[in-house]
Amino acid sequence: AQSVAQPEDQVNVAEGNPLTVKCTYSVSGNPYLFWYVQYPNRGLQFLLKYITGDNLVKGSYGFEAEFNKSQTSFHLKKPSALVSDSALYFCAVREGSGGGSYIPTFGRGTSLIVHP
Amino acid sequence: GAVVSQHPSWVICKSGTSVKIECRSLDFQATTMFWYRQFPKQSLMLMATSNEGSKATYEQGVEKDKFLINHASLTLSTLTVTSAHPEDSSFYICSARALAGDGSGELFFGEGSRLTVL
């Protein structure tokens, strides 16, 4: 079985400050991890993914995420937040390497609010 | 990246009528598409997996006779909400699985369809 936890319903940060949106996961084998962003009344947009290789993954709009196997975490980060980053962020996981379900499991989402 | 088009974006209908939502993969073929339902400020709820040329696989608790899914081609899946009622009002999102070179099979999402049943 696979699962994702996003422990924070909402994250507030001032514009220009660094931001972190937390995600922890559970899978039986090697994880494939994804971050998506959703703006109001829109579909989800892909931000970045971790499959293998470097633990620090860089994605769209200046976002990055760090894969930490020992802590089973994949936190989303950005060095300097923008007001336009305010949106709903979803972490997703699926078991990679041909094992398990190829359907990813999504976290419940974290609302990021960046204050001017 | 791959583009998924979903139509209509907004639809308002009377109770008892049926509504069809289309999901198209514009620049890639998708043997598998997924239909999600999202309630306000909540996560995505997977409703069903749409397989080209075969019957859809529905998640537990989703009425297959209520939510008809057809995946007639490699680029089109449709969701029909039959005899819609106000409790069916929701945001419906489709996604298609693109086979990336790394085998990750990342999902690309449509823009969603807001259904309001009066």
Side-chain angles (χ1 to χ4, degrees):
Chain A
Q2 56 194 36
S3 65
V4 175
Q6 291 182 244
E8 304 154 315
D9 287 337
Q10 184 171 304
V11 170
N12 291 279
V13 64
E15 187 174 32
N17 283 1
L19 69 87
T20 299
V21 183
K22 296 180 180 177
C23 171
T24 58
Y25 66 90
S26 175
V27 291
S28 300
N30 293 321
Y32 285 178
L33 293 153
F34 307 86
W35 274 103
Y36 291 86
V37 59
Q38 184 183 32
Y39 296 98
N41 293 309
R42 303 290 295 275
L44 274 65
Q45 294 179 33
F46 170 78
L47 278 179
L48 50 80
K49 64 182 176 185
Y50 171 83
I51 306 301
T52 186
D54 290 340
N55 290 341
L56 184 64
V57 178
K58 294 187 182 298
S60 306
Y61 312 120
F63 283 93
E64 58 188 29
E66 186 167 12
F67 170 63
N68 188 316
K69 187 173 183 178
S70 63
Q71 297 184 6
T72 61
S73 67
F74 190 56
H75 301 331
L76 182 70
K77 300 181 180 182
K78 187 172 182 180
S80 178
L82 300 172
V83 173
S84 58
D85 292 329
S86 299
L88 192 58
Y89 290 81
F90 290 97
C91 180
V93 67
R94 77 170 185 92
E95 189 171 341
S97 304
S101 170
Y102 63 84
I103 302 174
T105 298
F106 285 84
R108 62 180 184 177
T110 298
S111 178
L112 172 66
I113 299 175
V114 181
H115 302 278
Chain B
V3 179
V4 175
S5 173
Q6 191 171 338
H7 177 81
S9 301
W10 300 81
V11 57
I12 300 173
C13 70
K14 293 182 179 180
S15 185
T17 61
S18 295
V19 174
K20 180 185 285 188
I21 301 170
E22 294 187 346
C23 180
R24 294 180 184 273
S25 56
L26 297 186
D27 50 2
F28 67 102
Q29 293 182 330
T31 56
T32 305
M33 292 184 175
F34 304 94
W35 287 96
Y36 294 86
R37 183 172 179 177
Q38 186 179 32
F39 294 99
K41 297 184 179 180
Q42 293 191 25
S43 187
L44 305 172
M45 182 192 81
L46 179 64
M47 298 175 65
T49 302
S50 172
N51 304 297
E52 187 270 334
S54 64
K55 293 182 179 180
T57 303
Y58 288 82
E59 295 299 302
Q60 191 173 10
V62 178
E63 300 176 59
K64 58 183 67 176
D65 294 331
K66 174 76 171 176
F67 299 99
L68 299 179
I69 292 172
N70 183 276
H71 196 153
S73 76
L74 288 171
T75 59
L76 174 64
S77 175
T78 60
L79 168 68
T80 300
V81 183
T82 62
S83 186
H85 291 283
E87 58 265 29
D88 298 325
S89 299
S90 192
F91 193 55
Y92 294 88
I93 308 175
C94 74
S95 70
R97 179 171 172 255
L99 291 177
D102 57 16
S104 61
E106 66 187 71
L107 298 182
F108 292 90
F109 288 81
E111 287 295 292
S113 299
R114 171 74 60 190
L115 170 63
T116 301
V117 185
L118 303 177

